[in-house]
Amino acid sequence: MANLMEDELFRAFTTYAAIVIVKMLLMGPLTAYYRITRGSFANIEDVARKSADEQKKLLRTHPDVERVRRCHLNDLENIVPFLGIALLYTLTGPELSSALLHFRVFAGSRILHTISYVCALPQPCRSVGYFAGFIVTSSMAYRVLSTVLFL
């Protein structure tokens, strides 16, 4: 494992993989923050100490909470495939500059997507963030398949 971490290409992959994983992990506390500040809870045990009337008011959806939840789901749908494809891409031995471009654009696109989604920025901000990441993942998948395709 120590030898693997000496490889610049693999270190680049682990750096950007860690960045997008941490970004995705932070969406959980952000959802909790929005739930608490908006008074919008999903489970009865979250409001069990409240009166029945208060429980009815608090067990509801709120547009801001749902926005953050959808952003988190979008992360799961895009970051998880990126991690697998990026690892395979790294194993194909691309140029470091090409790999860094892919990894940086993907990480930047996910950050842009999150800011656009949570802050409700006007379109096409969120779409640009999404499609940039999708194109990067597709590009890496193409490289992997064109390198190792076995029929």
Side-chain angles (χ1 to χ4, degrees):
M1 183 61 107
N3 291 338
L4 194 55
M5 292 309 286
E6 292 174 9
D7 179 57
E8 281 186 297
L9 188 57
F10 191 75
R11 280 188 18 229
F13 164 71
T14 51
T15 298
Y16 289 96
I19 288 169
V20 295
I21 290 170
V22 167
K23 189 227 94 41
M24 184 172 57
L25 287 173
L26 290 174
M27 295 305 293
L30 185 62
T31 303
Y33 169 79
Y34 272 82
R35 284 198 182 284
I36 292 165
T37 60
R38 303 313 192 261
S40 173
F41 298 92
N43 302 301
I44 190 71
E45 63 270 16
D46 297 337
V47 295
R49 295 186 178 171
K50 305 287 185 183
S51 70
D53 287 340
E54 287 180 304
Q55 286 180 4
K56 287 179 185 176
K57 291 178 186 172
L58 295 173
L59 287 174
R60 64 187 178 92
T61 59
H62 189 280
D64 293 343
V65 175
E66 293 307 307
R67 178 175 289 282
V68 174
R69 286 184 68 247
R70 287 190 306 271
C71 183
H72 194 181
L73 287 172
N74 193 277
D75 276 351
L76 291 169
E77 294 167 358
N78 289 277
I79 291 174
V80 173
F82 164 81
L83 295 171
I85 292 294
L87 177 60
L88 296 174
Y89 172 75
T90 300
L91 295 174
T92 66
E95 291 292 321
L96 179 61
S97 60
S98 176
L100 283 171
L101 178 65
H102 280 89
F103 301 157
R104 288 174 178 165
V105 169
F106 185 83
S109 75
R110 293 315 304 170
I111 292 167
L112 172 65
H113 182 269
T114 297
I115 291 168
S116 300
Y117 217 142
V118 173
C119 298
L121 297 180
Q123 285 288 22
C125 294
R126 192 174 81 234
S127 295
V128 168
Y130 170 80
F131 282 111
F134 180 81
I135 290 167
V136 165
T137 303
S138 298
S139 171
M140 290 187 302
Y142 176 79
R143 162 71 188 233
V144 169
L145 289 173
S146 66
T147 301
V148 300
L149 193 60
F150 183 78
L151 297 174

